[in-house]
Amino acid sequence: MLQINELTISHRKDLRTIIENFSLVLNDGDKAVIIGEEGDGKSTLMKWIYDPASIEEYAEAAGIRTLGKERLGYLPQELPELEEKKTLCEFFSEDESFWNQTPKDLASMAGDFGVKTDFFYKDQTLGSLSGGEKVKAQLMKLLLREPTVLLLDEPSNDIDIATLELLERLINDWKQIVLYISHDETLIEHTANMVVHLEQIRRKTKSRYTVAKMPYRSYVKERLHNFERQEQQAISDRKEKKLRDEKYRRIRQSVEHALSDVSRQAPGTAKNLKDKMHTVKSMGKRFEREDENMTEMPEQEEAIFFRLGDENSRIPSGKTVIEYSLKELWTPGSSEEPRLLAKDIFLRIRGAEKICIVGANGAGKTTLLRKIADELLKRTDIRAEYMPQNYPELLNLKMTPVEYLDRSGEKEERTKIRTYLGSLKYTADEMERPISELSGGQKAKVLLLKMSMSGANVLILDEPTRNFSPLSGPVIRKMIGEFPGAVISISHDRKYIEEVCDKVYRLTPAGLLEN
């Protein structure tokens, strides 16, 4: 059993409480997903559960963690920088549990994860691996330690669909405790039997959490139903209060008017009226007490929404956006031995097509997309914008979101930028923080807003939904789906592929093949 009691976590810098009086009990068989918007404390909570000391640099925490005999296995959202420099051989062999495995055990695990057995012994650095390959390496090392509790922070980021399905089987087959964070709605729907929802309401001034022992879709449906029911009851209560208050106001005014007109020669009448006023005032106090228990209007952390593009972003249906040919695709220049990834690549896009490139981890999707972006960004007959998987490729992490988005330096533009950021649920404080201090989702919002303000008619997107909560996911998909221009993207998000993309191409060693 894993138990947390009365946990409160506050940021040291702005003293904002991100988790308050949080309690949770997990038992064998529980597969709990933590959901919430970016910046709501999901990763901080996960880190504290694994090691309370790990958040002391930026947060204060008070609470009780009870582990019993549980052994925690933790997959961080990002691979630490020191680990990136290690070779795969060093990464695995430094752990005693690796040497306790037989060649048969390692071969079986390699097969499950879709890698060759020599993966464990390669001289390739972790930093040179694709995002999905890094996740695979960390997951395998974690499982070799035989934990009883899996703490997984975004395990679904960057892994291909085959590995996503493996991850689903891993979670579903796990007999003990799994607590994970994910933005992949399909993964959550297929695995979670418990939902932990963190929220920041009242413009991020109040923390709230919900623990629901039910599948994700049931939770979303019940939550919506409860909000609608509470809203209807609150509206009804306010209508009744308005009618009651109006009736009360007329009675009180009538008594006050009668009292002001009563003659001193009618003391009996005056006494009766004073008694009546006393009764009226008592009625008013009773109404005030009743109002304290009146159904409140429901509060929830709204999903973001803004438009990508406008009529000026529309592309004529017959226009060729790109006709791209590449004889050979090689791994990008690095200290590693170059590898041929694919050959005879050809891609043609016309009009406002929305295409997605899929493929196995390490197939070269991001490398190919960068090459396509390089060509499109130079063009003058279209206006292209690129959103990389690794946001610091474009973002200046030392700048604030307002500084980064401001192109003119004029007061009017900065006011407009702050208004847009406010609609994306940024607080005034977050607008003035360095981008380096923002969450992955908040950084993604900056890039999406840059695209929206640029007037682009071609978007090049590498994993556009990867850092948005499952509650914001439908909004992001709708936003991209309704974009009037062309979209070239990479994604492993099965709902994104199904709902947004007109065509799907698989990158193989033999080139791009339409699914």
Side-chain angles (χ1 to χ4, degrees):
M1 182 179 72
L2 169 62
Q3 186 169 352
I4 301 156
N5 288 317
E6 299 296 317
L7 172 63
T8 295
I9 302 177
S10 303
H11 277 301
R12 290 186 182 276
K13 186 172 182 179
D14 59 12
L15 304 180
R16 181 168 63 92
T17 299
I18 54 173
I19 293 170
E20 187 171 18
N21 297 328
F22 177 86
S23 295
L24 177 69
V25 177
L26 295 173
N27 294 294
D28 286 353
D30 285 337
K31 300 159 196 336
V33 62
I34 304 176
I35 64 169
E37 297 302 318
E38 57 282 343
D40 281 358
K42 301 184 297 295
S43 292
T44 296
L45 172 61
M46 184 77 80
K47 287 177 184 175
W48 183 88
I49 293 172
Y50 179 64
D51 177 11
S54 65
I55 67 168
E56 288 179 353
E57 184 179 341
Y58 66 91
E60 293 183 354
I64 300 171
R65 180 191 68 156
T66 305
L67 298 181
K69 296 180 180 180
E70 305 291 358
R71 299 186 305 278
L72 305 183
Y74 171 58
L75 176 77
Q77 186 178 133
E78 294 181 358
L79 189 67
E81 190 176 340
L82 288 175
E83 300 284 87
E84 295 244 356
K85 298 175 182 178
K86 294 176 182 176
T87 65
L88 283 162
C89 184
E90 291 169 339
F91 179 71
F92 285 107
S93 62
E94 69 185 3
D95 204 289
E96 185 179 343
S97 61
F98 176 73
W99 299 105
N100 294 333
Q101 309 300 313
T102 67
K104 184 178 179 181
D105 293 334
L106 294 176
S108 175
M109 178 176 281
D112 288 341
F113 279 84
V115 298
K116 295 180 179 178
T117 307
D118 66 353
F119 184 80
F120 300 103
Y121 306 100
K122 283 187 172 182
D123 288 332
Q124 188 175 357
T125 61
L126 270 76
S128 68
L129 298 175
S130 70
E133 288 171 322
K134 289 178 188 176
V135 172
K136 287 182 180 182
Q138 292 176 89
L139 269 175
M140 287 191 285
K141 184 174 181 177
L142 185 155
L143 293 176
L144 290 173
R145 293 171 176 169
E146 299 183 345
T148 61
V149 178
L150 295 182
L151 302 174
L152 310 176
D153 193 348
E154 290 295 350
S156 53
N157 268 5
D158 307 324
I159 57 178
D160 57 35
I161 292 173
T163 311
L164 274 169
E165 291 170 349
L166 164 69
L167 182 61
E168 287 178 4
R169 291 194 298 274
L170 170 66
I171 294 173
N172 284 327
D173 293 344
W174 195 260
K175 303 300 183 188
Q176 294 154 306
I177 296 169
V178 184
L179 179 64
Y180 68 99
I181 301 168
S182 179
H183 297 144
D184 189 304
E185 287 173 74
T186 306
L187 174 74
I188 294 170
E189 290 172 0
H190 289 178
T191 57
N193 59 20
M194 188 172 178
V195 177
V196 179
H197 187 181
L198 304 183
E199 294 179 274
Q200 294 283 321
I201 56 176
R202 299 178 194 172
R203 293 199 64 80
K204 298 190 177 182
T205 61
K206 181 173 175 56
S207 169
R208 183 172 72 186
Y209 78 93
T210 305
V211 175
K213 286 209 163 193
M214 62 181 70
Y216 175 70
R217 271 297 138 215
S218 299
Y219 171 69
V220 172
K221 186 176 179 180
E222 184 173 295
R223 181 172 183 262
L224 179 62
H225 175 70
N226 289 340
F227 269 86
E228 289 175 346
R229 185 175 58 189
Q230 184 180 342
E231 184 177 39
Q232 289 169 1
Q233 185 62 52
I235 292 170
S236 175
D237 286 357
R238 278 153 182 75
K239 283 181 179 177
E240 290 180 10
K241 172 178 161 48
K242 186 177 180 180
L243 293 171
R244 184 205 68 192
D245 288 352
E246 179 60 27
K247 184 177 180 180
Y248 174 74
R249 184 183 63 79
R250 289 198 303 268
I251 293 171
R252 179 160 180 157
Q253 282 181 344
S254 174
V255 176
E256 286 175 342
H257 180 70
L259 268 172
S260 66
D261 288 347
V262 71
S263 166
R264 290 183 180 178
Q265 285 75 30
T269 303
K271 183 179 184 307
N272 288 338
L273 287 170
K274 286 178 181 178
D275 289 344
K276 192 170 185 179
M277 176 56 75
H278 179 74
T279 302
V280 169
K281 286 182 177 179
S282 297
M283 185 188 303
K285 289 179 181 178
R286 188 177 81 247
F287 289 161
E288 288 176 4
R289 290 194 297 272
E290 289 175 358
D291 289 347
E292 290 176 2
N293 298 318
M294 186 170 59
T295 306
E296 294 183 356
M297 289 297 287
E299 288 185 276
Q300 62 178 318
E301 190 172 32
E302 302 272 345
I304 66 165
F305 183 76
F306 69 100
R307 285 187 64 85
L308 271 176
D310 52 30
E311 281 304 307
N312 295 324
S313 303
R314 196 169 296 282
I315 290 184
S317 58
K319 180 176 177 60
T320 299
V321 174
I322 192 170
E323 203 164 79
Y324 183 80
S325 298
L326 184 66
K327 192 68 178 170
E328 292 181 336
L329 178 68
W330 291 80
T331 51
S334 69
S335 59
E336 310 297 337
E337 188 71 26
R339 289 184 297 118
L340 178 63
L341 298 168
K343 60 183 181 180
D344 299 326
I345 292 171
F346 179 76
L347 176 66
R348 179 191 290 119
I349 298 173
R350 286 198 176 98
E353 280 189 318
K354 293 171 176 58
I355 72 109
C356 184
I357 299 172
V358 301
N361 291 133
K365 300 183 296 298
T366 293
T367 302
L368 175 60
L369 197 69
R370 283 199 191 104
K371 288 182 177 293
I372 293 172
D374 287 343
E375 181 165 317
L376 289 173
L377 291 169
K378 293 173 187 173
R379 296 258 296 274
T380 56
D381 61 319
I382 59 171
R383 299 184 305 281
E385 284 285 338
Y386 173 48
M387 181 180 183
Q389 187 181 125
N390 183 29
Y391 303 146
E393 287 180 28
L394 287 186
L395 293 174
N396 183 335
L397 299 182
K398 295 180 181 178
M399 298 175 79
T400 68
V402 176
E403 290 169 341
Y404 178 77
L405 293 167
D406 182 16
R407 293 168 295 180
S408 68
E410 296 177 1
K411 182 179 179 181
E412 185 178 344
E413 181 167 16
R414 290 203 166 210
T415 300
K416 183 170 71 172
I417 290 167
R418 287 191 176 92
T419 301
Y420 285 150
L421 289 170
S423 73
L424 294 174
K425 309 306 175 188
Y426 274 81
T427 63
D429 176 67
E430 288 167 340
M431 294 179 198
E432 302 303 331
R433 284 183 188 174
I435 292 174
S436 61
E437 295 182 12
L438 301 178
S439 69
Q442 288 171 314
K443 290 171 185 170
K445 285 180 182 179
V446 173
L447 289 174
L448 282 175
L449 186 51
K450 178 176 181 286
M451 289 180 169
S452 181
M453 295 173 66
S454 72
N457 54 13
V458 178
L459 303 182
I460 309 150
L461 310 174
D462 196 344
E463 294 285 358
T465 60
R466 67 193 291 265
N467 277 306
F468 290 102
S469 80
L471 295 173
S472 286
V475 180
I476 299 297
R477 295 193 297 272
K478 186 173 187 288
M479 189 188 305
I480 299 172
E482 292 179 350
F483 176 68
V487 177
I488 307 167
S489 58
I490 295 171
S491 184
H492 300 128
D493 181 338
R494 289 161 283 185
K495 287 190 180 290
Y496 172 86
I497 293 169
E498 179 183 345
E499 295 175 16
V500 176
C501 304
D502 304 314
K503 292 181 180 177
V504 179
Y505 294 92
R506 181 171 298 279
L507 180 58
T508 72
L512 285 172
L513 305 178
E514 187 171 352
N515 269 13

